[in-house]
Amino acid sequence: NCLRGKCFGRGQLGRDGRNNMIYLIYGTDTHKSRKKMHEVLQMLSGKRPNSEVFKLTTENWSESQFDELVESLGLFDQKYIVVLDFVLGNKEAKEFVLERLNEMQNAEHWFLILDGKVDVATIRKIEKVSYKTQEFEIVEKKKGDFYPLSRY
């Protein structure tokens, strides 16, 4: 259950001795961040092939459904993968998620949070309890930064 020296699943303890099953992927380069989210999702699904994936977006966001996913125990030791797809842009949803970070951290399920531009305070709160945080920013090319291949 390890990838590049980092382990997932029961027994993976974070800095504070708790399970870390929260993965934050964010940034203005939504193409790269979404691609990374799919890679992580595929890797996690490979670790637990029978894991059910739940995707919550701003369109289908429900506090009660999210609470149920955080607090539920899967039947027959089944673990869920919960994807929060750009829900932090919704102020009420963001506050609700941030209030439940400790419960998410202690849950037996994995949580992938995918979002665009996220404020620093939110990032810091999530980083404290997350397994990993990755930012994907669009790099703007400046005029004059072009180097022809013939130079190399």
Side-chain angles (χ1 to χ4, degrees), residues 91-149:
K91 184 180 177 185
E92 291 80 23
K94 177 175 84 170
E95 290 174 4
F96 199 80
V97 169
L98 293 177
E99 289 171 4
R100 281 151 184 80
L101 285 175
N102 286 332
E103 289 90 342
M104 291 166 62
Q105 184 182 32
N106 291 320
E108 291 295 319
H109 311 296
W110 286 315
F111 295 88
L112 301 180
I113 304 171
L114 173 68
D115 225 293
K117 189 166 179 67
V118 180
D119 63 274
V120 175
T122 299
I123 293 167
R124 286 191 179 141
K125 286 179 184 177
I126 297 172
E127 277 180 332
K128 288 180 183 177
V129 297
S130 69
Y131 162 73
K132 190 166 187 178
T133 303
Q134 282 189 283
E135 180 179 18
F136 293 89
E137 290 296 321
I138 293 177
V139 179
E140 293 186 29
K141 294 179 182 175
K142 297 178 186 173
K143 202 172 186 179
D145 281 355
F146 176 74
Y147 300 104
L149 293 175

Side-chain angles (χ1 to χ4, degrees), residues 1 28 33 48 55 71 88 106 118 125 130 137-138 150:
N1 287 350
T28 56
S33 61
R48 291 187 183 151
K55 183 177 178 182
E71 296 172 6
L88 300 180
N106 291 320
V118 180
K125 286 179 184 177
S130 69
E137 290 296 321
I138 293 177
S150 61

